Amino acid sequence: MPDLSNLLQPDRGQSARTIHLVDAKGFDAWLSAQPPRARAAAEAQKLNPTGYASAILPGDGAEDWSVVTVVANVEKLSPWCLAKLAETLPEGSYRVEGREPGPAMYGWLTAQYRFDRYRKSDKASGPRVLLTGEPAKIDETVRLAEVTFKVRDWINLGPNDLGPAELEAAAEEIAQAHGGTLTVTRGDELARGYPMIHAVGKAAGKGRDPRLIEIEWGDPSHPRIAIIGKGVVFDSGGLDIKPAAGMRLMKKDMGGAAHALGLAELVMSRKLPVRLHMLVPAVENSVSGESFRPGDVLQTRKGLTVENSNTDAEGRLILGDAITKAAEKDPELMLDFATLTGAARVALGADLTGLFANSEGLAEELLAAADAEADPAWRLPLWDPYDEMLKSDVADMVNAAEGTPFGGAITAALFLRRFVPEGVQWAHHDIFCWRQSPKPGRPKGADAVSLRATWKVLKDRYGG
């Protein structure tokens, strides 16, 4: 990871190239006010008032130049307004003319992310540094971008390099860095205490055995919160095996765990006045003679029985046991993150997080934060009439509704809700965390989604 703190610097009047901002409504007036050489340069580069368009403008001296870029609204910058420039401009220092970059500092940093674990880029360039007159905002922006880089790295890793043990190592590093307590449950103790986590992960190969990873941190007298992430390091679908196309990106099925780890690190590094309990059930859903089967009736930590109707609906199983454990500590708030259903993607596409919440107030907080942070989410209903779709003839419930292709994201959320105790505010994020095509500040591949919004809610609630 590059030293992101060097990419944002306090503006002390040092030498820097100027970034001019213009939007569609002011474009014509801006262009007409430019000297002839600047107008000629803009026209030669076919600058139009469309998003992210930019042009290099000559200055008075032979080596003097500045850059103009088109944004949606000059008066209200988004995190992504300057991200394209951070990807394309030459190495050097830059300042925005006449205003502070504000939220655009985040995209300036995330645009300079590169995943080069397996292949060195032949397009490497030096750092692009952005100056700001609001130095108090640098630390928070850098911290958030650093966590985003970590989340992207974990998800981008090949599944051969990120199994349950590596998730445990990541959690251990975070816990040690911030004074948290790490607890890992595996083997016979896992089978006894967390039977669904054990059932899903027991088919994995040597060294990739399932486990529940927990971090506890903070003053026990502070409000207790639980952050839970689905840690399926690779999902073959189990005996209900996925087709090749459906399996191709299943290294990202631990994206919920990556988000839980990242959010936990933000909580601890910022010393938020909460008692944190982070839980990651880490498994590989593999195929072997040990695989759990369609028709198996699984025990749960909560005491309910689950008839397994689909081995590819495994994420909700492991989350059920983890939510039960979190509930035993009486948290006032639970947040879970999971790459849970294709149905959410069919409904919402790749960009929108599917948000479920059992509290109107919590839902409103999360949606407002999603809008404020340009970290989009869309609320889906916990529609009670669909609860009957989880009925089983032989057990307390099935894990996936049978006989219908409809409402899959909702029935998955309803399954999880059965493990959430009354009176606990709970939100479930059905995430995708993968960009199929690049956008400024958000390269193709892994990405952090709903992270900034949930972090804002926690800061606003608990005074961080």
Side-chain angles (χ1 to χ4, degrees):
M1 182 188 299
D3 184 357
L4 300 186
S5 62
N6 287 333
L7 303 183
L8 290 179
Q9 294 290 332
D11 191 343
R12 300 186 175 95
Q14 61 266 53
S15 176
R17 307 281 185 187
T18 298
I19 299 173
H20 310 281
L21 302 182
V22 62
D23 53 26
K25 66 179 182 291
F27 182 82
D28 291 340
W30 171 84
L31 188 62
S32 65
Q34 300 307 302
R37 64 179 181 275
R39 288 200 302 273
E43 291 170 3
Q45 294 168 75
K46 299 181 179 179
L47 180 68
N48 291 308
T50 56
Y52 302 116
S54 64
I56 300 297
L57 306 177
D60 294 331
E63 297 185 4
D64 293 340
W65 58 269
S66 61
V67 60
V68 59
T69 189
V70 180
V71 299
N73 185 344
V74 168
E75 302 302 324
K76 187 179 180 181
L77 300 186
S78 81
W80 316 117
C81 285
L82 303 180
K84 185 71 173 179
L85 295 183
E87 295 172 358
T88 59
L89 286 174
E91 174 182 351
S93 295
Y94 299 86
R95 68 164 54 85
V96 177
E97 180 187 38
R99 68 189 63 250
E100 292 302 327
M105 292 190 293
Y106 173 78
W108 183 272
L109 297 181
T110 61
Q112 299 186 58
Y113 172 83
R114 300 291 181 272
F115 183 69
D116 55 6
R117 167 74 176 263
Y118 303 112
R119 183 182 67 178
K120 300 301 180 185
S121 173
D122 56 1
K123 299 179 181 179
S125 57
R128 278 79 70 196
V129 178
L130 185 63
L131 304 182
T132 175
E134 298 177 313
K137 294 183 178 180
I138 291 177
D139 181 67
E140 171 75 359
T141 305
V142 167
R143 194 188 309 270
L144 193 54
E146 286 175 341
V147 168
T148 298
F149 278 40
K150 287 185 177 183
V151 170
R152 289 176 177 179
D153 278 352
W154 287 324
I155 300 171
N156 276 326
L157 280 169
N160 56 316
D161 286 323
L162 192 134
E166 286 73 25
L167 281 180
E168 178 184 330
E172 182 177 19
E173 180 179 346
I174 293 169
Q176 288 182 350
H178 302 288
T181 300
L182 178 72
T183 302
V184 181
T185 307
R186 57 168 71 82
D188 291 342
E189 188 179 353
L190 186 76
R192 288 191 300 270
Y194 307 91
M196 289 198 292
I197 300 174
H198 171 74
V200 172
K202 64 182 177 151
K206 184 178 179 181
R208 297 177 74 85
D209 48 304
R211 63 204 72 191
L212 177 65
I213 303 163
E214 300 175 78
I215 295 175
E216 290 205 69
W217 172 91
D219 188 333
S221 67
H222 287 158
R224 176 176 281 273
I225 66 171
I227 299 171
I228 305 158
K230 173 187 170 185
V232 179
V233 295
F234 186 80
D235 182 17
S236 70
L239 293 178
D240 290 313
I241 195 166
K242 295 177 183 288
M247 214 183 297
R248 176 64 179 87
L249 289 179
M250 283 301 101
K251 68 178 184 178
K252 73 174 181 61
D253 214 19
M254 43 60 65
H259 282 70
L261 287 165
L263 189 56
E265 182 163 9
L266 285 170
V267 168
M268 291 187 282
S269 64
R270 186 63 181 267
K271 294 182 170 55
L272 206 65
V274 297
R275 178 62 170 173
L276 171 68
H277 188 193
M278 189 220 71
L279 305 95
V280 168
V283 303
E284 179 169 359
N285 188 19
S286 194
V287 179
S288 77
E290 293 295 316
S291 296
F292 72 125
R293 296 163 287 259
D296 281 355
V297 177
L298 307 179
Q299 301 296 319
T300 71
R301 183 174 181 84
K302 188 171 182 178
L304 299 170
T305 55
V306 177
E307 182 184 7
N308 179 46
S309 52
N310 190 329
T311 64
D312 197 21
E314 83 297 333
R316 66 200 70 181
L317 297 175
I318 65 173
L319 287 172
D321 273 351
I323 289 172
T324 300
K325 175 57 184 297
E328 292 166 7
K329 302 278 189 172
D330 296 321
E332 67 174 41
L333 174 66
M334 280 188 189
L335 302 172
D336 81 65
F337 303 85
T339 51
L340 205 62
T341 67
R345 306 285 65 80
V346 171
L348 301 176
D351 287 351
L352 285 169
T353 289
L355 171 66
F356 295 86
N358 66 354
S359 159
E360 294 301 314
L362 177 59
E364 289 173 4
E365 287 178 74
L366 287 165
L367 291 173
D371 183 61
E373 296 294 319
D375 194 8
W378 195 268
R379 191 181 183 188
L380 294 172
L382 290 163
W383 184 245
D384 289 330
Y386 288 173
D387 211 42
E388 67 180 14
M389 296 165 69
L390 296 175
K391 286 182 178 177
S392 166
D393 293 333
V394 300
D396 291 319
M397 55 182 162
V398 294
N399 61 324
E402 298 181 272
T404 176
F406 302 134
I410 298 173
T411 55
L414 291 171
F415 180 92
L416 296 181
R417 188 178 68 172
R418 295 196 179 192
F419 298 89
V420 178
E422 291 289 336
V424 175
Q425 289 194 332
W426 163 69
H428 160 56
H429 298 80
D430 194 329
I431 63 176
F432 190 55
C433 66
W434 190 267
R435 299 207 169 269
Q436 296 166 303
S437 57
K439 294 184 177 181
R442 295 148 289 177
K444 182 179 180 180
D447 204 4
V449 296
S450 71
L451 183 71
R452 287 175 291 120
T454 49
W455 174 232
K456 176 174 171 53
V457 168
L458 292 178
K459 287 190 298 179
D460 290 349
R461 273 199 174 205
Y462 299 107

